Amino acid sequence: MTDVLVDSNVILDVLTEDPQWFEWSAQRLTEYADQGMLVINPLIYAEISIGFNQVEELEAVLPTDFFRRDPLPYEAAFLAGQSFLEYRRRGGDRRSPLPDFYIGAHAAVSGMPLLTRDGNRYQTYFPSVQLITP
């Protein structure tokens, strides 16, 4: 059994019934929930919250018996900042969301695999993270 950090895009695929990604994302969530605990953090929670008017609605679709809520470790904040700085030095767009770097850093310092559809940036800046991608 292993814990898996779940990127918001995978959860949003299921919640929005995305025509391209729903099946893949739903299957991966089921598969990894059967093997261990699905984990989210405050940034993932915030990214998903945009589609809801009430916190109770969000809580209903992210039940705590299915999604464990972990805090962001301070070590992850440091690593996120350093990785974002490297990204900018390489000419990365200033508009790129810093939350993606926090999510990757959280997976890195916690030693959790990351379930995501967007593996390129994570692979580049967090090569130690096991990525679960299409």
Side-chain angles (χ1 to χ4, degrees):
M1 298 207 18
T2 186
D3 297 339
V4 174
L5 188 63
V6 182
D7 200 354
S8 57
N9 57 36
V10 174
I11 297 168
L12 289 169
D13 289 343
V14 174
L15 295 178
T16 63
E17 297 182 11
D18 183 274
Q20 181 178 356
W21 292 106
F22 174 81
E23 187 174 323
W24 183 87
S25 293
Q27 287 176 349
R28 296 297 82 72
L29 287 174
T30 299
E31 175 183 347
Y32 287 97
D34 288 344
Q35 296 178 22
M37 182 58 72
L38 301 176
V39 180
I40 60 174
N41 64 34
L43 291 170
I44 295 165
Y45 188 93
E47 288 179 332
I48 296 166
S49 75
I50 293 170
F52 296 87
N53 294 321
Q54 301 289 324
V55 70
E56 294 82 8
E57 297 170 356
L58 179 59
E59 287 292 319
V61 300
L62 296 174
T64 56
D65 57 342
F66 198 72
F67 292 100
R68 187 179 77 211
R69 287 141 168 80
D70 281 5
L72 281 169
Y74 278 87
E75 296 86 357
F78 180 81
L79 180 56
Q82 296 300 303
S83 298
F84 186 74
L85 180 61
E86 180 62 25
Y87 167 78
R88 292 290 298 132
R89 285 183 179 146
R90 292 182 181 184
D93 187 352
R94 186 177 301 262
R95 293 174 293 168
S96 178
L98 185 57
D100 287 349
F101 288 90
Y102 274 107
I103 292 166
H106 186 181
V109 303
S110 300
M112 283 188 278
L114 177 61
L115 175 58
T116 183
R117 282 193 285 103
D118 301 327
N120 289 340
R121 183 176 301 141
Y122 293 120
Q123 183 63 47
T124 300
Y125 295 97
F126 305 99
S128 66
V129 173
Q130 176 190 346
L131 297 176
I132 304 163
T133 58

